[in-house]
Amino acid sequence: MSLTFLFRTITRDFAKIRVSHHVQSLHTGGQLLAAEKALLIKLRKNTGYTFINCKKALERFDNDVTQAETWLHEQAQKEGWSKASKLLGRKAKEGLVGLFIQDQAAVMVEVNCETDFVARNEKFQQLVNDVAFVTLAHHLNKTQSKTGYVKSVLGSDELNKLCVEEGASLSDRVALTIGRLGENMSVRRAVTLNVPAEWHIGSYVHGGVRGQTEVAMGRYAALVVFHGGEKGELEVLGRKLGQHIVGEAPVALGDMDDLPGGESETRLLPQTFLGDPSRTVAQFLRGQQARVLDFVRFQCGQTASDEAK
């Protein structure tokens, strides 16, 4: 065998080995890329953060999704607090009122942001949802030994201190949402109620947000506590009373025998009933054999001077 033939044979075999190894590397690399892409998609879905940040987190922790997710939350919280401090002075008069009723208890909260655009964002609505549930849980835990009618009104400072999970406070959750959406936000106020078994809670939300199945949300909302009424019609009665309170904005209850004060009347019972202008609210209630005991009305962005009118 000549040296020339031997050299050609060795060169040809070596080339085959190189091609085979290259194809195998491409196949393995493709599998690796697919696996990394799946992790990236999973992390993006779990956290809602950008693909760039998720990729950075996976690279930082060698594709450990759990560590990457923890790190992303920590970074977002830091960024959120940084943005929150920068945006602190900006006015936040838009937002949503959230309302939730559970058995004989109810909660109504107001969470503010700067624009209606952000109020329609799912992340902001999730914040309203969280505020409502955390506030109600706090109320039920605090009043579990109490009986009768219990009403609690909470301001911004008290609400911000409430614990959400794993030591985080509501103020932490607000800062995190600020970091994600880039607008100033605040948890302004809340009211919680507990009523005896023979009492009822009615409600109405105006300008409602579609798709919210648990916490009803809108720009205006009312809770009304009442007694009596026809069984099977209690929800309708509560809704009608709530609609009137939202629409006519009474500031006091009044008495069943109060005389109407005209269009400027601010007491609920002597006001002309929105659902039947031929009667006052008191007259409507007599026909239903019912009695209103208390009510609360929230208007998103309402100032203290507005509430006094």
Side-chain angles (χ1 to χ4, degrees), residues 167-216:
S169 65
L170 260 186
S171 60
D172 290 326
R173 182 60 58 85
V174 172
L176 186 63
T177 311
I178 289 173
R180 289 178 172 179
L181 300 180
E183 278 196 7
N184 189 24
M185 298 172 196
S186 65
V187 180
R188 184 184 173 199
R189 55 180 172 167
V191 63
T192 52
L193 308 172
N194 253 63
V195 301
E198 65 274 13
W199 291 16
H200 316 291
I201 304 173
S203 67
Y204 176 70
V205 175
H206 183 73
V209 175
R210 293 181 180 179
Q212 294 295 334
T213 55
E214 291 186 303
V215 177

Side-chain angles (χ1 to χ4, degrees), residues 26-57:
L26 285 174
H27 180 68
T28 306
Q31 287 181 326
L32 185 60
L33 286 171
E36 289 177 349
K37 186 177 180 181
L39 290 175
L40 186 59
I41 292 171
K42 180 181 179 181
L43 187 59
R44 172 83 166 81
K45 186 177 180 181
N46 287 351
T47 64
Y49 300 121
T50 64
F51 275 110
I52 293 173
N53 286 336
C54 288
K55 185 173 183 294
K56 187 189 295 182

Side-chain angles (χ1 to χ4, degrees), residues 12-280:
R12 186 175 61 250
D13 291 344
F14 181 69
K16 287 180 180 179
I17 292 169
R18 286 185 64 188
V19 170
S20 175
H21 178 71
H22 181 65
V23 171
Q24 186 176 2
S25 296
L26 285 174
H27 180 68
T28 306
Q31 287 181 326
L32 185 60
L33 286 171
E36 289 177 349
K37 186 177 180 181
L39 290 175
L40 186 59
I41 292 171
K42 180 181 179 181
L43 187 59
R44 172 83 166 81
K45 186 177 180 181
N46 287 351
T47 64
Y49 300 121
T50 64
F51 275 110
I52 293 173
N53 286 336
C54 288
K55 185 173 183 294
K56 187 189 295 182
L58 287 171
E59 289 172 351
R60 187 183 183 92
F61 295 100
D62 295 325
N63 291 331
D64 187 315
V65 175
T66 303
Q67 288 190 58
E69 187 171 339
T70 301
W71 182 78
L72 281 169
H73 285 313
E74 289 173 352
Q75 296 306 304
Q77 190 67 70
K78 289 178 184 177
E79 184 181 348
W81 275 115
S82 176
K83 281 189 178 180
S85 61
K86 292 176 183 177
L87 300 176
L88 190 60
R90 284 168 38 172
K91 292 182 179 180
K93 291 187 176 181
E94 297 296 326
L96 290 169
V97 175
L99 186 153
F100 179 70
I101 299 175
Q102 177 181 291
D103 301 325
Q104 299 300 110
V107 61
M108 188 162 62
V109 302
E110 179 184 348
V111 185
N112 299 123
C113 57
E114 294 181 47
T115 65
D116 181 57
F117 176 76
V118 162
R120 295 195 299 270
N121 187 282
E122 288 183 4
K123 289 184 176 65
F124 181 79
Q125 291 169 14
Q126 183 59 51
L127 175 63
V128 178
N129 191 83
D130 292 344
V131 172
F133 282 127
V134 168
T135 305
L136 182 61
H138 169 75
H139 171 77
L140 293 175
N141 183 59
K142 192 175 179 181
T143 62
Q144 58 184 340
S145 61
K146 296 181 180 180
T147 57
Y149 179 45
V150 182
K151 177 181 178 181
S152 300
V153 179
L154 296 87
S156 182
D157 290 342
E158 190 173 358
L159 288 166
N160 281 323
K161 294 174 185 176
L162 297 183
C163 185
V164 182
E165 56 187 13
E166 298 177 358
S169 65
L170 260 186
S171 60
D172 290 326
R173 182 60 58 85
V174 172
L176 186 63
T177 311
I178 289 173
R180 289 178 172 179
L181 300 180
E183 278 196 7
N184 189 24
M185 298 172 196
S186 65
V187 180
R188 184 184 173 199
R189 55 180 172 167
V191 63
T192 52
L193 308 172
N194 253 63
V195 301
E198 65 274 13
W199 291 16
H200 316 291
I201 304 173
S203 67
Y204 176 70
V205 175
H206 183 73
V209 175
R210 293 181 180 179
Q212 294 295 334
T213 55
E214 291 186 303
V215 177
M217 299 179 195
R219 287 192 56 81
Y220 305 82
L223 287 170
V224 54
V225 178
F226 65 99
H227 181 268
E230 187 177 339
K231 288 184 178 179
E233 298 294 326
L234 296 175
E235 186 175 344
V236 174
L237 175 57
R239 180 179 174 81
K240 286 181 178 179
L241 292 169
Q243 283 177 323
H244 176 93
I245 292 165
V246 165
E248 297 300 317
V251 296
L253 182 59
D255 296 317
M256 291 291 282
D257 297 323
D258 283 344
L259 296 174
E263 293 183 1
S264 61
E265 180 61 73
T266 59
R267 296 165 299 172
L268 171 64
L269 295 175
Q271 282 183 330
T272 299
F273 183 50
L274 192 63
D276 181 0
S278 68
R279 295 187 286 180
T280 64

Side-chain angles (χ1 to χ4, degrees), residues 271-305:
Q271 282 183 330
T272 299
F273 183 50
L274 192 63
D276 181 0
S278 68
R279 295 187 286 180
T280 64
V281 174
Q283 289 168 341
F284 168 74
L285 287 168
R286 285 195 181 98
Q288 298 290 319
Q289 295 184 323
R291 183 164 57 101
V292 170
L293 305 165
D294 197 6
F295 70 90
V296 187
R297 178 185 184 272
F298 277 6
Q299 176 181 332
C300 192
Q302 186 178 34
T303 64
S305 58

